[in-house]
Amino acid sequence: MSLVHTIHFSPATSSRRRFPAHSIASLRRRVFPVRASLPFPTQKAKYHRELEAAVGIVERACRICVDVNCFPHLLSFFNFTLLFGSWENFDTGNGDGIGQVQSSLLSSDGGIVEKKDNTPVTIADFGVQALISLELGKLFPSIPLVAEEDSGFVRANNLVDSVVSVVNDKRSSSEPLSDDVVLEAIDRGGSAAYLYGKSPATYWILDPIDGTKGFLKGCGALYVVGLALVVEGEIVLGVMGCPNWQNSGDSLGSVMIAHTGHGTWNKTLQVSNDWSRCLVDGCSVVPEARFCIPESQSWDSLPLSRSFTAKNDADSLGDNEIHLLTTCCGSLCKYLMVASGRASMYIQAQRDTAIKVTDWEGGELDLAADQVERRIIYPPGGILVTNGKIHDQILEMISFSSSTV
């Protein structure tokens, strides 16, 4: 579910920066502040209270992800589980704590848990949704939540104890919550929680972990906790937390925010108030742009492939060749790429199922297309996100390519 509407974000480091591995100890020393002041005057920011709360809640949710995700042998564990069906079928015999990873990430029988759409899910997904639902419900009880998961899946896959444990560990109050309270919090964002109708509505949108497949690869994976507020059909603020985003310099982890009328800003997760203004890159010529696409789609499947050949090496581009970036395009990180100036544009074709910031015809996304649950949108052709300077050029290319098919 995409949380981006109109973004203007800042140039950062080269997209080729490598993402170094970090030890579990160093990751657990990172501080994730609960409250955060904003980088602009709040008296003119209508939704500053909601944004301040959202920043603190998303940062605590990122802490859940780091605690569950960062185990040194997770990648090997994930791969061997795919091969052998269960970790018990492959015994290392070295006492390296793999059992803790297994209990943290998977169902009690050791198998990778999948939803009906065959996408993987972990206790971190449910823990994040429960935590954010609890905190938002306490602060803004009249605003409903649209999220991904429901408690029926947790119950059916023996995940209740693990989910409740991670939520109690990271919530703002020290008093432990019961299983029922945590499961009800998950269901507050479930598909049966609220019916919206045709009129413009006000609600929170949450993607607890966007990029779960990357998350399962272990420490260093790029995934995002995404939260936005829609007021009367318009996105008025958004927060994206990426624990493993490589900032300029040596800092790791980023939270990016936007508030209508106040631009977009980012800061490192472990620093409470180091906000910097975000700006997109200055590319105004399509052949010089840096492109990113979903990992699930190929360049040849997109209409621009009729005009350009894509190459990953920026130093060896010839005529009618463009630079296709290979990093962090499997989650909301692709929007961070455009927002931070590391990419000029992101393009995604419509898939066989409905996609969860214009469409390919240049129209704004209709957030009320799903009049009942507000969970899906139907952009004609697909989604296009750019720095603004090349947007119309790309739309013209898409239109021309479509008319010649």
Side-chain angles (χ1 to χ4, degrees), residues 33 81 97 148 218 227 265 383:
T81 306
E148 285 200 337
L227 181 64
W265 304 74
I383 289 176

Side-chain angles (χ1 to χ4, degrees), residues 122-140:
T122 74
I123 67 157
D125 293 85
F126 297 107
V128 166
Q129 180 163 321
L131 174 69
I132 292 179
S133 174
L134 285 163
E135 300 297 335
L136 291 179
K138 179 173 61 178
L139 295 171
F140 311 104

Side-chain angles (χ1 to χ4, degrees), residues 10-32:
S10 71
T13 57
S14 166
S15 60
R16 296 184 182 186
R17 178 179 294 277
R18 299 185 65 183
F19 300 95
H22 288 252
S23 68
I24 295 175
S26 65
L27 283 165
R28 287 183 172 169
R29 284 196 297 269
R30 284 191 260 163
V31 177
F32 290 76

Side-chain angles (χ1 to χ4, degrees), residues 277-293:
R277 184 66 182 266
C278 297
L279 301 170
V280 294
D281 75 2
C283 178
S284 60
V285 182
V286 173
E288 298 177 2
R290 290 167 293 171
F291 291 70
C292 52
I293 64 175

Side-chain angles (χ1 to χ4, degrees), residues 72 78 92 95 112 123 169 192 216 238 248 253 270 279 326 349:
F78 177 61
T92 61
I112 294 174
I123 67 157
D169 188 45
L216 281 169
S248 57
Q270 67 267 44
L279 301 170
T326 58

